[in-house]
């Protein structure tokens, strides 16, 4: 039986995306630190998304803590002859509650289409995993002023195939591609405008789903800029790459999230 230690009423969500980093020893040190220093969080759900081989380690170390865990990708198929793929059911076997879908590092490097991403989103939901759907524009698209159109189109494939209600209790992470790993985060004004746009778009189709959707910001978040970002309306937390590999920095971000809850 899968372990699900997601908190009942988290207001903020902070997700670590370890990408292709770590090893058993480093992970153990990082997780031990997280467990020690994040156990008092009341309003913030922390999630660690690690490479597949370490999911068993996450399960064993986090299962009796307030920290949840997940994967960084999932197969669009349920099972079968798909060499190298990992199914949603397999993620559940290792206690995952969350899965990142459509991260730009994957959609760019492995040519993931919006249709593939939509299928993965639905497979995750059907298996009781919370999908963290990544959307966001390139620098050229932002400079051309078409960022809302781009993000809208990324959402439309899911909406037209499955309906807006699938966003109920799901997570969208707004991740401007120009901000990922560059040290150049979106400003609170830029993030505010896009997060509002996303919430409004879903709300016009299904207000209940919009209310129950969490929208994270991702892209060079650190414990300094998190102070301004996490108080912005419609920013429900962050997806954290680089800074999630540093215990002090990541824990600092989680405490900023906690203190941003009124
Ligand atoms: C990410 O990987 O989703 C991300 C936001 O990375 P970083 O925090 O390093 O920009």
């Amino acid at each position: 039986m899968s372990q699900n230690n997601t908190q009942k009423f988290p207001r903020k969500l902070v997700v670590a995306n370890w990408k292709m980093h770590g090893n058993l020893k480093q992970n153990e040190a990082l997780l031990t630190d997280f467990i020690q220093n994040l156990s008092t969080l009341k309003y913030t759900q922390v999630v660690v998304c690690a490479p597949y081989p370490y999911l068993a380690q996450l399960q064993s170390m986090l299962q009796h803590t307030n920290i949840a865990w997940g994967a960084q990708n999932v197969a669009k198929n349920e099972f079968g002859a798909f060499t190298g793929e990992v199914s949603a059911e397999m993620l559940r076997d290792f206690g995952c509650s969350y899965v990142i879908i459509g991260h730009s590092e994957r959609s760019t490097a492995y040519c993931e289409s919006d249709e593939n991403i939509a299928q993965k989103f639905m497979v995750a939901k059907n298996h009781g995993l919370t999908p963290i759907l990544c959307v966001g524009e390139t620098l050229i698209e932002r400079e051309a002023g078409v960022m809302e159109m781009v993000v809208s189109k990324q959402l439309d494939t899911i909406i037209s195939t499955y309906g807006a209600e699938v966003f109920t209790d799901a997570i969208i992470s707004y991740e401007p591609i120009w901000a990922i790993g560059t040290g150049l985060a979106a400003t609170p004004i830029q993030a505010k405008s896009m997060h509002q746009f996303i919430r409004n778009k879903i709300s016009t189709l299904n207000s209940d789903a919009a209310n129950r959707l969490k929208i994270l910001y991702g892209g060079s978040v650190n414990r300094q800029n998190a102070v301004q970002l996490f108080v912005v309306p419609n920013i429900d937390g962050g997806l954290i790459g680089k800074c999630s590999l540093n215990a002090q920095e990541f824990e600092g971000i989680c405490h900023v999230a906690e203190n941003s809850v009124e």
Side-chain angles (χ1 to χ4, degrees), residues 2 4 13 25 27 35 39 45 55 87 92 94-95 118 130 136 138 140 170 179 197 219-220 242-243 256:
S2 314
N4 182 341
L13 190 69
K25 203 167 158 214
N27 300 348
I35 293 164
S39 66
Q45 177 65 58
L55 293 177
S87 73
R92 294 292 294 165
F94 287 91
T130 301
T138 62
I140 291 173
F197 171 77
S220 296
K242 187 167 172 232
C243 287
V256 169

Side-chain angles (χ1 to χ4, degrees), residues 17 19 103 105 175 179-182 218-221 239-242:
N17 176 14
K19 311 193 186 196
H103 193 286
E105 285 160 9
E175 302 220 312
I180 297 176
T182 58
S220 296
V221 175
L239 180 54
I240 320 297
K242 187 167 172 232

Side-chain angles (χ1 to χ4, degrees), residues 9-193:
F9 303 110
R11 305 268 297 278
K12 291 281 192 208
L13 190 69
V14 179
V15 181
N17 176 14
W18 281 357
K19 311 193 186 196
M20 199 173 71
H21 292 291
N23 57 44
L24 286 172
K25 203 167 158 214
Q26 282 171 9
N27 300 348
E28 186 178 347
L30 210 45
L31 292 172
T32 303
D33 211 300
F34 290 175
I35 293 164
Q36 263 168 15
N37 295 303
L38 299 175
S39 66
T40 56
L41 298 181
K42 272 202 195 132
Y43 305 111
T44 306
Q45 177 65 58
V46 177
V47 181
V48 178
C49 292
Y52 293 138
Y54 301 120
L55 293 177
Q57 184 185 26
L58 295 190
Q59 184 175 36
S60 125
M61 288 191 68
L62 299 178
Q63 60 187 331
H64 301 301
T65 72
N66 60 341
I67 302 173
W69 63 96
Q72 300 169 13
N73 184 32
V74 66
K76 66 178 181 178
N77 301 95
E78 303 272 341
F79 61 89
F82 301 103
T83 303
E85 290 292 274
V86 174
S87 73
E89 207 45 50
M90 293 170 187
L91 299 185
R92 294 292 294 165
D93 260 351
F94 287 91
C96 291
S97 311
Y98 294 82
V99 60
I100 297 173
I101 310 268
H103 193 286
S104 59
E105 285 160 9
R106 291 199 54 80
S107 46
T108 313
Y110 306 105
C111 304
E112 277 207 275
S113 64
D114 287 348
E115 288 72 22
N116 267 11
I117 291 168
Q119 275 180 279
K120 289 179 176 192
F121 183 95
M122 226 32 230
V123 160
K125 284 217 91 173
N126 289 341
H127 287 269
L129 293 161
T130 301
I132 303 170
L133 173 74
C134 299
V135 296
E137 79 286 354
T138 62
L139 186 57
I140 291 173
E141 289 162 343
R142 174 154 285 268
E143 284 173 350
V146 296
M147 55 275 183
E148 290 183 353
M149 217 175 75
V150 169
V151 168
S152 198
K153 185 178 165 288
Q154 290 166 344
L155 297 173
D156 280 342
T157 310
I158 294 182
I159 293 168
S160 62
T161 319
Y162 304 110
E165 64 273 14
V166 295
F167 287 106
T168 309
D169 298 327
I171 300 166
I172 294 174
S173 188
Y174 170 52
E175 302 220 312
I177 295 170
W178 47 271
I180 297 176
T182 58
L184 186 75
T187 64
I189 291 172
Q190 289 170 324
K192 180 181 178 188
S193 157

